[in-house]
Amino acid sequence: MTHPNSNVSRRRAIQKGGIAIGGSIIGLSSVSTTAVAAPTEIDTCGNLSGGEYILTDDITTTGDCFSLGPNTTLDGNDHTISGDGTGAGISMGDSTVRVRNLTVDDFDTGIYLQSSSNYEADLVVEDTVISNNTSVAISGNYKPNISVQDSEIRDNEVGIVGGEAARISITRSTVSGNSGNAVATGLGNIIEVENSTIENNGAGIEAGEGTLTDSTIANNNGYGIKLVGFLADTSIGDTTIVGNDIRNNSGAGIRFVASNGIVQENTIEDNQNGVVIDYDIDAFVGNYADTYEFVANNFVNNTEFGIQNTIGDIESIDDEDATVAGAVCNYWGDPSGPQNGSNPNENPQGDKVSDYVEFTPWSVAEIRDGSGICLGGETINDFQDQPTDPDGDRLYEDINGDGESDIVDVQALFSNSDDETIQTN
C-alpha cells in the first residue's frame, strides 16, 4: 500500500519546511501561525503596561496622563494629549518604552523618565511633537537612554534634560523655541545629533562629549554647543563635530570646557565667537584636554574670534604646557587669512585668531566639499608674496604673487616644481 504522502513534491516539501528524499521528508520545522495581537485601543489617561496601545481620540486632562510600564508602545495615531501646565504627560520608570505619532502639549513635563540607581530607562520617541510644557519636554534622572527621531521639541522651557550618565540621540529632528537650553546634560554625558536642527533656543546643546554631524545649530541666545567633558581627572571627553552649519549664536558657536575635539568641514559663521577653548577653573580636578583639531572649516564674520584659546592665559598652567590647537587648512573669511600677529600678510582681513592656535597654512578660498586651497601664509621659493587667483577660477596661476598670471609665472612654476607648496597643492 502506498503511503498517502509518498508522492509529495520536493517543492511542496520545502514549503512545509523539509526536503523530500527517497519518499520521506527530513528537516521539518514548525511554522508558527500565532497571530500578532492587535493594539489595544484607548481614549483615556491611565497606566499602561506591556504591549502596544493606540489612541483613538484627543485627550484633555489635568495633572498626569499616562504611566508606561516595561516594554510598552504608545501610538498616538496622530492625536494630542493636552494638560493644564502641571503633571507629566507620560511617565516611566526602569522600562523600555516607545512613543510615536503623538503630540504632548501643555504639561509641566512632557515625558519623565524616573530610573533607579541599578537600572536604565530606555525611551524612543518617533514622529512626535512635544510642545508648550512649562518645565521640560523630556526629563531623565539617572542613566537615561533617550532617542528622538523624526520629531519636534518646541516652545518648552527646556528641551531635553539628562541626569547622570545620560545618553541622548537626536536624529532628523528639530529642537526649537525653548526658552532655556535645547539640551542640558551637564558633566560626563554623551550626545549624538545627526541631520537635525537646533535653533532659536535660550541656549543650544550642553553635554559632556559626543558626535554632531550634518546639522544646523543656529540663532540660539547663548552658545550653540558647550562641551564639559569630565567628571574626574581622567574623564576627559572626546567630541567629533563634522559637516554642521553653526551660525548666528549670540555666544560661542562651540565652547570646549576640558573636552577634546575634532571639528571638521563645518561652516562657523556670525557667532560672537566661532570657537572658545577654556575650562572652568572652579570645577577643575587635575587634568585638562590636550587634543584639538580644526580642519577644512569656514570661519566667517565671527564677531570676536574665529578661534579663541584661553588655556595658555591661565596663570596656573605653565606656558610650555598650554594646549596648542591645530587649525591648519581652514578658511577664515578672507584670502589674506586670520587676524593674528603671526600672519605674514600686512593687513589680514579674516576672523581674529588668538595665541596658542596653529593656523598656517590656511585655505585662501572657501572650503567646498571638504576641500580647500591651503596656500595661505606660504610662498614659493623666495618670492615675497603668496600665490593668487587673478581670474577667480580657484586655480592659483599667479605663482609669484604679483597679481598677474603671465609667462613669468609659467617659468616660476616649472623652475620650482619641487617646492613643498607646489607639491602639496
Side-chain angles (χ1 to χ4, degrees):
M1 180 177 178
T2 303
H3 193 281
N5 286 334
S6 63
N7 294 322
V8 67
S9 70
R10 182 176 184 274
R11 181 183 184 89
R12 180 65 174 164
I14 292 174
Q15 291 174 340
K16 286 181 174 287
I19 301 176
I21 299 179
S24 63
I25 300 174
I26 64 172
L28 290 175
S29 61
S30 61
V31 178
S32 174
T33 58
T34 303
V36 177
T40 300
E41 295 185 350
I42 55 173
D43 59 7
T44 59
C45 298
N47 298 328
L48 311 177
S49 184
E52 183 173 343
Y53 298 81
I54 188 166
L55 203 58
T56 59
D57 203 353
D58 294 343
I59 296 174
T60 300
T61 189
T62 59
D64 298 336
C65 188
F66 288 112
S67 176
L68 305 186
N71 303 313
T72 300
T73 296
L74 175 59
D75 189 333
N77 196 26
D78 295 326
H79 289 296
T80 298
I81 59 172
S82 300
D84 64 344
T86 67
I90 297 170
S91 61
M92 57 180 286
D94 299 322
S95 307
T96 298
V97 164
R98 186 179 298 270
V99 177
R100 64 189 182 212
N101 305 320
L102 180 66
T103 295
V104 182
D105 187 78
D106 196 21
F107 292 87
D108 177 74
T109 301
I111 302 178
Y112 179 46
L113 296 75
Q114 187 174 10
S115 53
S116 68
S117 59
N118 297 321
Y119 299 92
E120 298 180 6
D122 297 307
L123 169 67
V124 178
V125 176
E126 301 172 305
D127 297 297
T128 288
V129 176
I130 307 175
S131 59
N132 299 305
N133 296 284
T134 55
S135 291
V136 185
I138 301 175
S139 178
N141 61 340
Y142 182 79
K143 296 177 71 175
N145 296 322
I146 300 170
S147 176
V148 178
Q149 305 169 15
D150 303 298
S151 296
E152 289 185 56
I153 296 177
R154 53 178 168 80
D155 303 323
N156 309 278
E157 181 176 349
V158 178
I160 303 174
V161 173
E164 184 179 349
R167 299 183 67 96
I168 297 173
S169 173
I170 302 171
T171 307
R172 299 180 305 276
S173 295
T174 298
V175 185
S176 66
N178 302 285
S179 58
N181 278 71
V183 179
T185 63
L187 305 179
N189 298 283
I190 297 174
I191 186 77
E192 295 177 354
V193 179
E194 182 179 3
N195 291 312
S196 293
T197 298
I198 313 296
E199 66 179 357
N200 296 313
N201 302 283
I205 294 170
E206 181 180 31
E209 62 182 70
T211 303
L212 298 96
T213 57
D214 301 323
S215 295
T216 297
I217 297 99
N219 301 302
N220 296 290
N221 188 25
Y223 51 78
I225 304 166
K226 179 182 177 182
L227 299 157
V228 186
F230 62 91
L231 284 171
D233 60 349
T234 58
S235 300
I236 300 298
D238 292 301
T239 302
T240 301
I241 301 173
V242 178
N244 303 283
D245 187 6
I246 304 171
R247 66 174 66 241
N248 294 314
N249 298 287
S250 61
I254 307 169
R255 182 184 175 196
F256 288 101
V257 183
S259 178
N260 295 308
I262 296 174
V263 180
Q264 184 173 341
E265 298 179 29
N266 305 278
T267 293
I268 303 173
E269 182 174 5
D270 290 324
N271 306 283
Q272 180 188 39
N273 286 283
V275 174
V276 173
I277 301 169
D278 62 8
Y279 68 74
D280 185 346
I281 193 67
D282 295 327
F284 183 60
V285 288
N287 203 349
Y288 61 92
D290 61 1
T291 303
Y292 298 98
E293 181 180 343
F294 302 89
V295 62
N297 302 285
N298 290 308
F299 291 91
V300 182
N301 293 328
N302 296 287
T303 304
E304 295 185 9
F305 286 90
I307 299 179
Q308 182 184 24
N309 184 357
T310 71
I311 291 179
D313 299 328
I314 298 172
E315 292 182 0
S316 60
I317 298 177
D318 293 335
D319 185 73
E320 62 268 18
D321 294 331
T323 298
V324 175
V328 300
C329 294
N330 297 282
Y331 180 62
W332 300 97
D334 190 271
S336 60
Q339 299 176 47
N340 180 279
S342 298
N343 188 326
N345 289 325
E346 184 175 338
N347 186 28
Q349 298 297 306
D351 280 13
K352 292 181 181 178
V353 171
S354 75
D355 294 334
Y356 306 101
V357 177
E358 181 183 356
F359 58 83
T360 304
W362 62 84
S363 178
V364 293
E366 180 184 6
I367 305 293
R368 297 181 184 175
D369 299 322
S371 178
I373 302 171
C374 298
L375 301 173
E378 305 285 342
T379 60
I380 307 299
N381 201 345
D382 57 355
F383 294 121
Q384 181 177 352
D385 299 310
Q386 69 187 39
T388 71
D389 174 19
D391 57 4
D393 63 354
R394 291 177 68 90
L395 298 176
Y396 279 65
E397 303 97 338
D398 173 21
I399 303 300
N400 62 6
D402 66 358
E404 299 181 1
S405 178
D406 51 29
I407 188 62
V408 175
D409 296 298
V410 176
Q411 295 168 342
L413 177 64
F414 282 97
S415 63
N416 294 283
S417 60
D418 292 334
D419 185 275
E420 182 178 358
T421 300
I422 291 177
Q423 288 291 314
T424 56
N425 291 276

